[in-house]
Amino acid sequence: MVDSDPRFTVFQWGNELANVSLIRNGLLGCTPTSPKLAFTFQALQLYHQLQQHQSSFSIQAYTKVLCVLHGVTYWPHFQNQFSMMFDVYLAILCTIQSRIDQALGCGDPDWRLQHYCPVCMFKQPGEPLLIPSSLKAMDGNNSTKWMDRTGHTDHHVFPSAYMISRADVDTFKDDHGNAEHHNGGGCADTWQAASAVDEDTVKVFKQTGIFLSACRHGIILTCAEMLHSGELTKYPLAMINKLISVHSNDQVIGSDIGCSLSTTLAVSSIAQMARAANVQLIVNAFHGHAHNHMCQLQYHPLYLPGTGLEDFETCECIFSSSNATTALVHHASYLHYIQYLELHFSQWDADKYAELSTSLHFRFV
């Protein structure tokens, strides 16, 4: 609790459930029926904001602070009890947000992707179409690993607005075709993503990282878990498939290995759809300077019309921030693994949305 007095009387009426009485007084009990410990909604809200703005701040640290403030000896079970209450608190918030979305007509699962960034998505009536219509980047990161079988008895799944399901990703697990026999600008065989990971890493970790996409303004679009592997081709193909289905034509997407990935896309199961949508894969500006000259002329944004000053290294900025979650997610349950990432991503997007006008001014004025 965050009140100055950690003990006060709560009146329970008739056959009223204990948690109903507690909630009426701004408290949430740690067990469904006969709670002996409760936390105020203010305490839960405070940790919610602390965790979103400082992703490495753990529940253990927070409960220790609460114990010090109230002169109570810290016991390890306080951490578990607060964790359970925080899960319930987030479930309440998710339910409220879901009902608000339904009432406002925003209940479509792809609604966020369709309206994620006003700068990218807004089309002024009467203006000529831009080609490319949008600039995006995608990349993988192996810092946010998750230990295999950690919290394996907890089968709950945290609802995510970012994650592409494992089933949708595995649709492309065999979509590499004969790409290795195609010369993608002269260096397709030279540059490959981190498809191979250390054997010990595969044995110890189930999730070996994440693969995500973002718009040029830093707002995160999609994310996928990398399971017992590095950056296999199925992850970018799943991203491209999702982006085409929602954002349609004339997208430019930057990748560290855009040259070789273009070859893979050309022989994949979505090749026809990608050609019809005029999707163009390019190499990020920083990585592109290490590719050979022929590749740079074809894939480097410096030589491509419509890319402007964009460097397509957006994902690196996101990862430099999301790496703060690594201390918490390695040994968390799967529910909390997704929860910590979701909280971080949602706050990152909120910050980027608020900074859009400032960002545009400093980058282009």
Side-chain angles (χ1 to χ4, degrees):
M1 303 189 346
V2 296
D3 306 271
S4 57
D5 185 1
R7 299 179 181 86
F8 59 89
T9 303
V10 175
F11 294 99
Q12 186 174 4
W13 305 103
N15 295 326
E16 189 176 54
L17 295 175
N19 257 318
V20 174
S21 303
L22 290 171
I23 290 173
R24 193 159 36 79
N25 287 271
L27 299 162
L28 193 60
C30 293
T31 55
T33 54
S34 303
K36 296 182 179 179
L37 179 67
F39 293 94
T40 64
F41 280 103
Q42 290 90 341
L44 293 163
Q45 183 184 24
L46 177 60
Y47 178 70
H48 187 199
Q49 294 303 316
L50 287 171
Q51 217 291 316
Q52 284 194 298
H53 289 84
Q54 181 55 50
S55 299
S56 60
F57 192 67
S58 67
I59 287 179
Q60 182 187 47
Y62 185 65
T63 51
K64 285 183 176 180
V65 170
L66 291 181
C67 288
V68 171
L69 291 177
H70 294 98
V72 178
T73 301
Y74 171 79
W75 293 96
H77 67 268
F78 289 163
Q79 174 187 349
N80 298 331
Q81 290 174 317
F82 186 87
S83 178
M84 290 186 290
M85 285 305 91
F86 189 62
D87 293 343
V88 174
Y89 171 76
L90 291 180
I92 293 172
L93 293 185
C94 289
T95 301
I96 293 172
Q97 187 61 53
S98 177
R99 294 183 179 182
I100 293 173
D101 291 343
Q102 292 294 335
L104 296 177
C106 308
D108 189 307
D110 291 330
W111 191 91
R112 188 192 65 83
L113 272 180
Q114 294 166 351
H115 304 86
Y116 65 95
C117 176
V119 181
C120 291
M121 300 305 296
F122 179 74
K123 308 298 181 185
Q124 181 68 30
E127 285 192 354
L129 294 177
L130 292 176
I131 298 178
S133 61
S134 61
L135 305 178
K136 303 178 175 73
M138 59 183 178
D139 199 3
N141 175 268
N142 60 8
S143 295
T144 49
K145 298 181 179 69
W146 179 57
M147 296 284 289
D148 195 7
R149 297 187 61 79
T150 302
H152 63 278
T153 58
D154 186 355
H155 300 292
H156 294 90
V157 178
F158 190 81
S160 173
Y162 299 94
M163 291 294 178
I164 297 177
S165 70
R166 298 177 182 178
D168 289 341
V169 172
D170 284 339
T171 303
F172 303 96
K173 63 182 180 180
D174 299 318
D175 269 29
H176 48 78
N178 296 314
E180 63 272 16
H181 302 301
H182 186 279
N183 188 349
C187 68
D189 296 331
T190 304
W191 296 105
Q192 297 179 357
S195 57
V197 294
D198 185 81
E199 183 178 352
D200 292 335
T201 299
V202 172
K203 290 180 180 179
V204 173
F205 296 99
K206 183 171 185 179
Q207 266 87 343
T208 50
I210 56 175
F211 195 96
L212 59 78
S213 63
C215 78
R216 65 185 302 183
H217 305 105
I219 295 179
I220 300 168
L221 305 178
T222 57
C223 183
E225 309 158 63
M226 296 194 295
L227 301 175
H228 292 298
S229 68
E231 297 176 29
L232 302 180
T233 57
K234 64 180 181 179
Y235 303 117
L237 289 178
M239 300 280 164
I240 295 168
N241 180 60
K242 184 67 174 180
L243 295 177
I244 292 175
S245 65
V246 177
H247 298 154
S248 65
N249 298 342
D250 301 321
Q251 302 179 64
V252 169
I253 305 174
S255 169
D256 297 351
I257 55 165
C259 50
S260 59
L261 189 56
S262 296
T263 303
T264 302
L265 180 62
V267 296
S268 69
S269 59
I270 59 171
Q272 185 175 354
M273 181 173 66
R275 284 192 294 269
N278 193 30
V279 171
Q280 183 180 8
L281 298 179
I282 66 174
V283 179
N284 303 346
F286 177 77
H287 293 80
H289 288 297
H291 291 233
N292 65 42
H293 291 174
M294 289 299 296
C295 176
Q296 291 187 39
L297 290 174
Q298 186 174 355
Y299 294 103
H300 199 285
L302 182 64
Y303 307 108
L304 300 176
T307 55
L309 301 176
E310 184 58 38
D311 60 11
F312 295 91
E313 299 287 357
T314 315
C315 295
E316 304 297 341
C317 300
I318 297 173
F319 295 144
S320 69
S321 176
S322 66
N323 284 347
T325 65
T326 56
L328 302 182
V329 300
H330 280 183
H331 299 277
S333 66
Y334 181 67
L335 169 75
H336 294 130
Y337 175 81
I338 300 297
Q339 181 188 102
Y340 284 127
L341 291 177
E342 188 79 9
L343 291 176
H344 180 86
F345 290 161
S346 62
Q347 187 59 49
W348 170 274
D349 281 355
D351 292 341
K352 290 302 173 184
Y353 190 95
E355 296 169 0
L356 277 176
S357 58
T358 304
S359 174
L360 290 173
H361 176 80
F362 281 106
R363 292 177 68 179
F364 301 113
V365 175

